[in-house]
Amino acid sequence: MISLPVGELEFHVFVSIALFAIGAYGFLCKRSGLIALMCLELMLNGVNLFLMTFSKHHSSPDGASLFLFIVLVAAAEAAIALSIFVILSRRFGSVVLDDYRRLKG
Amino acid sequence: MIFEGLRWILLAPLLGAVLNGVILQNKSAKISGLVATLASLVAFGFSVVACSQLSGLNSAPEQNFLIDPLFTWMSSGHVYVPFNLELTSITSVMLLVITGIGSLIHIYSISYLSEEESPWRFFSYLNLFLAAMLVLVLASNLAVVFLGWEGVGLCSYLLIGYWYKKPENTAAGMKAFITNRVGDIGFLIALFVAFSFFQTGDISRLAERVNDYAFLSSGVPTWAWYTFAGSLLWAATAKSAQIPLYIWLPDAMAGPTPVSALIHAATMVTSGIFLICRVWPLFAMSPVIVDAAFWIGMSTAWLAALIAVSQTDVKKVLAYSTVSQLGFMFVALGAGSPAAAFFHVITHACFKALLFLAAGSVIHGMHHKQEMSLMGGLKDKMKITHVCFLIGTLAIIGFPLTAGFFSKDMILAKVFAAQGVFGYILLLGAALLTAAYMFRAYTLCFWGGARSEYAQKAHESDPLMYMPLVVLAFLSLFIGWLELPEVFGHFTKITDWVHSSWYGVGVGEQAHLSHLAEWLLMLITSVLSLTVAYYSFKIYQRNPEFKILPEPLHKWSTNKFYVDEAFELLLIKPSMKAGRFINRISDETTFNGLANGSFRFTRLSGRLLALFHTGSVQTYAWHFVFWSSLIVGAIFLWTL
Amino acid sequence: MSEGIVVMGQVNLFQVVVGILALAAAIGVVHSKSAVSSALSLMATLFLTAFLYFAKGAYFAGVVQVLIYAGAIAVLFVFIVMLLDLKPSRVAIPGQKGVALLAFAATAMFVVVVALLAVPGLFEPGLQESNLTALSAKAISYNFVSTYMLPFQATGFLILAAIVGVIMLAKSVRSPSNESRGEP
Amino acid sequence: MDPINTAMLIFWPAIFAFLLFTFRKNKKAAQWANMVFHLPWFWFLYQSCLLWRSSTADGMFPIVFNSDFFPLLKSNFALGLDGLNLPLIGLNVFLSFCLSLYALGKEKLSSSYLALFALLNAASVGSLMAADAFVFYIFWEAMLIPMFFLIGIWGSKNRVYAALKFFAFTMLGSLAMLAAILYLWVQPDIQSMGWHSIAQLGLLGDGLWSPRFWVFCGFLIAFLVKIPAWPLHVWLPDAHTEAPTGASVILAGVLLKLGVYGIARWCLALFPSIAVLDVVSFTMKVLALAGIILGSYGALRQTDIKRTIAYSSVAHLGFMLLGLFSFQLAGFQGAMFQNIAHGLSTGALFLIFGIIYDRTHTRELSDYGGLGIVNPRLSMLFVLSVMASIGLPGLPGFIGEFLILNGTFVLSPWFAFFACFGILLGAVYMLRIVRGMIYGETSSVLKSHPIKLSFSEWGSIIPMIIAMIVLGFWGQGLIAVTARASATIIYNLQGEILR
Amino acid sequence: MTPLLWSLFLVPLVGVAVLTGVPVILMVERRGSAWLQRRTGPNRVGPFGLLQPMADAIKMVFKEENQPARASKFLFIFAPVLAILPPIVGFSMIPIAQPFTINGESFAVQIVKSDLSFLFLLAITSLHVFAVLIAGWASNNKFSLMGALRAGSQMISYEVAIGLCLVSLVVSYGTLNLSEIVTLQGAGSRLAFWGFFMQPLVFLIMWVSVFAECNRLPFDLPEGETELVAGYHTEYSGLKFGLFFLGEYAAMYLASALMATVFLGGYNIPFVSPDQLVSFVEGLGLYGDQATWVASALSAVSFAAKVFFFMFVFVWVRWTLPRFRYDQLVGLGWKVLLPLATINLIGTMIFSFLQKGAY
C-alpha cells in the first residue's frame, strides 16, 4: 500500500486524541442530552483507539482486553443512560440538559 | 495554763444568737431582748471569772496567759491554724469592756426597740456581733482573729441595714461592709506574710520571732516586715475608720443608736488599735509605719473635728467625734506608746457609749428625730439623760479627774516626749476643737428654748434606758484612775497589762518626763479646753446657728469636705465603668462574638458553597475537565 | 518484554483516509443540525474506527467494534432518537464559542499530557515477534482469564446490573400506560 | 469492702437511670423512686470510703477496680480512688440527693429528666474515677450528652442556643484531649493507656515545644474549656441561665470541678516537668487572675441574677486555677477544698434561686425586692449562702480562698495581692444581688407570687446549708482527706522546680 | 493464479450467483405458494412463466420513482443501498465448496479466510437493522416510522438470540472459522458431527430467529400489509423498492447459507468426506488437480442443494403460518428463545468441560 512519511503510531495517537477532543467538546457544549451521550461514546472510542495503538505497539494483549472492557462497559452505560433519557424527556418534555436543573434538589 | 472556761464566754452569745435568730423568732422585744441580755450577762460572768483566774496566776512573763485549745481549723503545708482561745492581760481588759458595755447596751436596747415589729432579728445580730467580737479578742492565731474581724464586719453590715425598708440604710450597710473588706485585704496580706515568712500565725510565736536572733538573721527580707506592719496598719485604718477609709462610720449612723453605741463607739472600731497593740513588738520593727500611723491619726483627728463642728445631726456629731478620738489613739500609737492608746480605748469606750446612749434616749424621746435644730431646752424634760450627757461631754473634753482627762493627757505627754512641741501643739488644737463641738452639741440639745413641738413633748425614757446611762456615767468618771501619771504616784495598771501581754518581749518605752513638764502640760490642756468649752456654751445658748469656722471652711465642713463625692468620683465610678467596659469588650464582643461568629461563619460558608451546585450537568463536567487538566498539567510541570 | 526493533512501520494511505473520514464523521456528530443525522454520523464514526482496527490487524477488536458499537449501541441511539422524535437540536449554547475552543484546547492538552505521562516509555520499541497474534482473539481471551479475571467477572456483574436497571427503568416507562388502564 | 462497690458507684446510677425509664407514665412514682435509689448509692460511697481508708498503698493513684476493657486500645477499665476524687464523688452524690429531694412534686421534671440526670451522675463519677486515658475520655464525652439534653429540653427561653454553645465549646476542647490521647497511644513504648504507664512514659522529651508539652496542652485545653478559664468561659453564663435548676446546680457543683480535678490529675500529676515551666505557670496564673478580675466585673454588669452567679463561679474557679498553679501544698489543697466549698455555696445559691424562679419565672434583679419580708427564713438562707460564696470566714469559702492565696503568695506575691481584689469585687456584686433581692420594699412580682416552700424544697436546702456550716469549721477533716494524694503531687512538682 | 487473484475472481462469481438466485427463488415462491393454495401461479410470461421474474425486474427498473417531501434526500437514497450491502458482504465469509488445488497449491473456495468469519457474519447482519431504521425515518411518514421501529426492535432482540446460539456453537466446535467448522463436520463419514445432530436445540432457535432476522412471514409485522401498508418501504417505489426486495431475499440466502454451513455440514456430501470424494472422482478417471476441481464442483452442488432446501422452507413457512402479534413476537424473542439459548449454552459448556477437560 502506499505509505506516507508519518509513522503509524503518531498518526493513530493523533486520531484518537482528536476523537477524544471532539467528543469532549461536544459533551461540554451540546445542549441536548442525547448528543452529549453520543459524544461520550466518541470519547470512549478515542480512548479505545489509543489503547489498541499502544497494545499493538507493545504487542501485549492487555491493551486489547482493556479495549474489550471499555466496550462492554460502554454498552451497559449507553443502555442505562438512554433509558434514563427516555424517562427524563417524558417527564421534562425535552432532552435539553439545562431543563433538568430542578433535579438539583 | 489551760483553762476550759474561755470557750463558754464565746458560746453564750453564739447560743443566744442562734436561739433568737433561728428557733424563737418571736415578735415581742421583751422576750427576745431578755434572752439576748441573759446571754451577754453570762458571757460577762464567765469573763470576770476568767480575769480573776488570770490575775491570780503570777507565773513567769512567758506563761502568764490562759489557753483553751478547741480544734485545728485548717492545716495544710505551711499554713497551720489551730482554733484555740487565749486570755492575756490586755485581752482580759478588752473582754470586760466588751461584755460589760455589751450587756448594758442589750438592757438599753430592750426598751429602745420595744415597738419594732421583728426585734428578734436585731437581738440575734447583736449577740452574733458580741460572739464575733469575742472571737476577735480571744483568738490566739491571727487567722482566727481575722475570722472575728470579718464576723464583726458582717454583723455591722446586718445591724446597719436593720431597717432595710429604706434603701439608704442598706446602702450604708453595704458601704460599711465593702470598706471593711478593703481593710480586710490588708489583713489578709499581713496573714500571708506571717504564714509564708514567719511560718506561724500564732501571735505569741510571732512576738517571740522579734527577739530570736537566729530567725532575724535567717534572711527574712526587709520588705516582709514592712508589708506586714503596713498591711496591718491598712487593716486598722479601715476598721478604726481613719483617713482614707473612715467614710463608712458616719453613714453607719443609719442603724439604731444602740448599734452605734456598741459597735461604732465602744468595740468594733477600737479592734484595729487593739490588734496593733497585741502585735506591737512586730509593728515596732518598722519605724516608718509607726510614723505613718502618727500622721494618719493626727490628720484624721483634725479633719473629723473640723467636720463635727458644723454637723446638725446629733449622731453625726458623735460619729465624727469618735473618728477624731480614734485619730487620737492612732497618734498615741504613732508616738510609740501602745499603753496610752489602749488606755484611751478603754476610757473612750465608756464615755462615747454613754454619749451615744444618751443621744439615743434623746432621739427616743423626740420620736426618732435626730436634728439638733429641732431640739433645745431638754434639760428640764429629761433630767437624768441631761446629767449623763453632761458627764460624758466633760469626760470627752478632758475635764480634770474624769476618765478623758487622764487618757488624753497621757497621750499628749507621750506625744510631747516623742514628737516634741510641734506635735503637742497640733494635738492640743484637735483637743480644743473637740471641746468646742462637744459643748456645741450639748448646749444645742439641752439648753435654749424648745425649737419644735417634738422638743416640747419630749419625755424622760423609762428606767431600763437610763439605768445603763447612770452606770456608764459612773464608769466614765472613775475609770481614769486606772492609770495615773507619774505626778500623782506610781499607779500604772494599764501599761503593766499591755507590756505583760507581749509574752515577755520588752520594747523600750519613751523617755520619762520630769514632774515639772507633766504638771505644765496638764495645766495648759485643761485650762485651754475649759475656756473653749465655756465660750462655746455661752455662744450657743444665745445663738444656735453660730458658725465657729470662717465661711469657706464652714460650707466645706458641712458637706464633709466632699470626701464621699471625691471617693465616688475618683475611685468607685471610674473602676466600675472601666470594669463594665472591659467586660463588655472582652466578653460580649470578642469571645462571645467569636463563638457566635464561628457558628454564623459555618452557615455562611455552607450557603456560599451551595452556589456551585448549579444543577447543570455540563458545568460540572466543565469544572471537572478544567481542574483535572490543570492538576495534570501542574504535575507534569512539576515532574519536568 | 524483550527488546526489539520498532514493528510499527509507516502509516498507509488506507488508514489515513479512514482516520480522516472518522474524524469528519465525529465532527458531523457534533455539528449536525438534527439529532438523527448526528446519530447516524456517530454510527459512521464507529464503523470507520472499526476499519481502523482492521487496518491495524486487530480483527477481533474490529469485529467486536462493529458488532457491539456499530451494531448495537449506534442502533440504540438511532432507535431512541427516532422514538423521541425530537425537534432539531439548537445550536451550541450561545456565547460559549470561546469557552468551547478553550475546552477543546484543554481537553487536547489533558489527553496529550496523560498520554505522555501515563504511558512511560511511550516510544520504546515493541516486541520482536509478530504482534498480530498479540491482538488476536486467543491472546485477548487468555489474558482475560489469567491476569484480568477479576475485572472480567466484575464486568459480568456490571452488565447484569445494567440489564436489571434497564428493565426496571423501562418498566417505569411503561407503568404510566398501565396506570392509564388502572392496573398497578 | 471488695472493689466491686467502687465500680457500682458508677454503674448504679446508670442502672437506675434505665429503671427510671420504666416509670414512664406516672411522674410521682418516678420522683420518689429517684430519691430512694440514692440510698444504695450512698451505701456504695460509704463502702468506697472504707476501702480508701483501709488501702495503705502510698502510690499516686491506687487502682481499685481493674478489668480487661478493650485490649485493642491497650486500655483496660481501671478505676482509681484516692484523696482527690473521693471528696468530689461524695459531693456529687450529696448534691444529686439534695436535687432528688428538690425534684419531688415538681410538675415539669418528668422521668426522662431524672433518668438523664442519673446518667449524667454516672458519667461524672466515672470520669472522676477513671484511671485509664480512654475510659476517662469516654466518660468525659458521656457527660456532655445528658447535659446537652437537660439544658436543651428543660431549659428556659433560648435554651437551644445555650445547649448548642455548651456542647460546641466542650466538644472542641475535648477534641484537643483526644488528639493528645491518640498521640500517647501511638507512642511505641507505651504498654497500656493506664494513668500510671502514661506517668512513667519517658521519652516524650522535656522543655518548651517538646511533644510532652503538646500533650500537656492537649489535656489542658479540654480542662480549661471545662473550668472555664477566662477566655473560654463564654459558654458558662448562657448554659447556667438557660439550664433548669437541677442541671445548673450539678453543672456548678460537679461538672466545673471536673475541670479542676482534671488539671490536678491529668496535667499536673502526669506532666509535672511541663507544668513547672515558668512560661506555662505564668500564663495560667495570668488567665486565672483575668478570670477572677474580669469574672467579677462581668458579674457586676449583669442584671440577670443567674448570670451574676454564673460569672461569680468563673471568678471562684479562677481562684482554684491560681491555687493549682501555685505549686504549694497549701494552694493545691486549698483548690481541692474550694472545689467542694464552691460546689456547696453556688449549688445552694442556684437551688434557692431556682425555687424562687419556679414561682416567679423572672430572673431580672429589678423585678425582685423585699424577699426578707415575704419569706424571712429563705432570705436568711440566701444571705448565708451568699456570704459563703463571698468567702466569709466561718464558712467553707474562706478556708479555700485563704489557703489558695497563702499558697500563691509564697511564689508569686503580686498575683496573690491582685487576687485579693477579686474577693473585694466578689463582695460588691454579691451584696448588690442581696440588696436587690432581700432588702427594700416588696416588689410587685413577689407580692403576686407568694413564695411558700414545700417540705421537700426545705429538705433539699437544709442539708446543703448544714454541710456548709459544718465544713466552715470542720474543714480540717476534708483537708486531711486530700492531704496524702496532693502531698505526693506537690512533692513531684517541687522536685521539678528545683531541677 | 495466486490466492489473492483467485479471491478477487471469486468475488464477482459469488455476487452473480446470489443475484441470479434471487429470481429463481422468486419464481419458486410465486409458483410454490400458488401450488400450496391449489392455484396455478404466473405462467404466461415465457415458457411455464419462467420469465416472470425477469418481467418484474424490468418493471422495477423502469417504474417512476417519487420522493416524499421534506424527507432528507441523502438518507432516502442511502437506505436501500444499506439494505442490499450487508447480505452480499456476508457471503464473503461462507465456504462454498471444497478447496481444490492448482499445480499443488490449494485454493479455498471462500473469499475471506479469517478465523473470525462466523462472528464477522453476525456483525454484518447486525448492520441490516440500520437500513430499516433509516428507511423508516427518511420516508417521513408516521406509519413507515412505526414500521421501522417495530422492525428494528424485532431484529435487535432476535440478534441477541442468534448471538447466544453462536456462542454455544463456538463452544462445541471450538473455533470461529466457518471453513474449519465445515471440515470438522465433514471429518468422519458419519453425520454425528453435523451441527444439526450436535446442537439440535440451537438449530431450532437459530432457525426461528433467522426467520425473524429476515422479517419473513411469521415475523413480518413491519411490512404487515394489513396494518402498516408496506411498513418501512411504503414510500419506496421503482428501483429503490427493488433494492429493498433484493436485499431481503439476499438476507434470506445468507441466512440459509449460514444454516447450511453450520448445521448441515456445509459443502460436504452426506456420508462422504472430502478425501473420499476426491478418491471417488479419481476413480472416474480424472487425476491430479482436475480431480479436486470436479470434487469441489460436486461439493458446491451439494451446498447449493442444502441452501435451496432452506430457501424452500422459508417459502413454505410463509404461506402456512399466520402472522404473530407484536408483543407475542417480542415476547417469544426475549422470554422463550433467549432463556432456551442460555440454558443450552450452559449445557454445552458443562458438556464440553467434561469431555475435553480444562484448557
Side-chain angles (χ1 to χ4, degrees), chain E residues 177-194:
Chain E
N177 190 340
L178 284 176
S179 52
E180 271 170 34
I181 293 174
V182 169
T183 42
L184 261 174
Q185 289 179 4
S189 58
R190 288 168 287 99
L191 294 181
F193 290 107
W194 275 20

Side-chain angles (χ1 to χ4, degrees), chain B residues 314 362-364 366-372 374-375 454:
Chain B
V314 66
V362 161
I363 292 163
H364 190 67
M366 294 263 288
H367 303 300
H368 293 293
K369 285 290 167 290
Q370 300 177 349
E371 284 307 320
M372 286 197 285
L374 303 173
M375 300 175 190
Y454 297 105

